[in-house]
Amino acid sequence: MSDDTTPFGEDVRTDAKQIIGRYPESRSALLPMLHLVQSVEGHVSNAGIEFCAEQLNLSTAEVSAVVTFYTMYKRRPCGQHLVSVCTNTLCAALGGDAIYKTLSDHLGVGHDETAGAPGEEGSLTLEHAECLAACDLGPVLQVNYEYYDNQTPEKALELVKSLQRGEKPAPTRGAPLSDFRGAERQLAGFFDRPGGTLEDTVDGPSAADETLRGARIAQERSWTAPAMPDDAEIPPLPDKK
């Protein structure tokens, strides 16, 4: 694509070349390339698929197969913020389903739907999310993949209302909150916030007290795991039949 209407101008092509240069095989760059596309368009359009295929010498079918496999790649335009509510087993039992219903009712949208004009300030895309790997802090939700732990329907609703007002409340853990396109640029491997550095772009609280509690108890009580013997025997592989 070389017409003037494409959103993938020379600056994006320069970024694409930088991504490709990180890998010994160009096709290995597809995942961050798709995040780059989302940082430009707010989703992966057919034009974005064609752009990735052209840059990586792949067919559009090969790119489409990846786009439709991973839920992080959106085929419809996202809002300014992506709100992902964990509704897997533990979070659901602790209130995740109630949180999702509260937000869905408030926004008037269902899974993978957007309240407001996509990309405009205060617009939000809501989604069910499978396990967000924070069961010790459930129920949890994410905004642009940053964590908000120990949620309740009331806390989640206030969070969403603040996002709609144009605010960016600090996540419980992780980097300062960006918008969806900004987060996608980071996932593409670019940490070039104006006036910032890699460190202050991603710096933030990490491990929570709940996560470390077991390790601290073990340390206090001098609990240790059995040492691995130096001559541990490796079980033989079964015969292939």
Side-chain angles (χ1 to χ4, degrees), residues 114-193:
T114 299
E120 292 189 3
E121 183 168 314
S123 59
L124 301 176
T125 298
L126 180 67
E127 68 174 0
H128 282 286
E130 287 302 312
C131 185
L132 294 179
C135 299
D136 46 348
L137 298 161
V140 299
L141 62 80
Q142 291 180 335
V143 179
N144 309 326
Y145 307 115
E146 301 296 347
Y147 282 98
Y148 293 82
D149 303 320
N150 295 311
Q151 289 294 297
T152 64
E154 294 75 21
K155 289 167 63 176
L157 181 59
E158 183 51 42
L159 169 62
V160 160
K161 287 180 177 179
S162 67
L163 294 171
Q164 290 180 296
R165 293 192 296 267
E167 300 168 12
K168 293 182 178 179
T172 310
R173 295 172 289 127
L177 187 64
S178 177
D179 56 20
F180 178 71
R181 295 192 187 197
E184 287 298 305
R185 184 160 178 80
Q186 293 177 15
L187 289 169
F190 296 100
F191 300 91
D192 49 9
R193 188 177 62 189

Side-chain angles (χ1 to χ4, degrees), residues 31-61:
L31 299 187
M33 283 280 289
L34 289 168
H35 286 299
L36 177 66
V37 165
Q38 289 200 139
S39 77
V40 175
E41 293 190 294
H43 70 301
V44 180
S45 67
N46 289 338
I49 290 173
E50 292 172 5
F51 173 73
C52 290
E54 171 194 281
Q55 298 296 309
L56 301 175
N57 196 28
L58 296 171
S59 69
T60 55

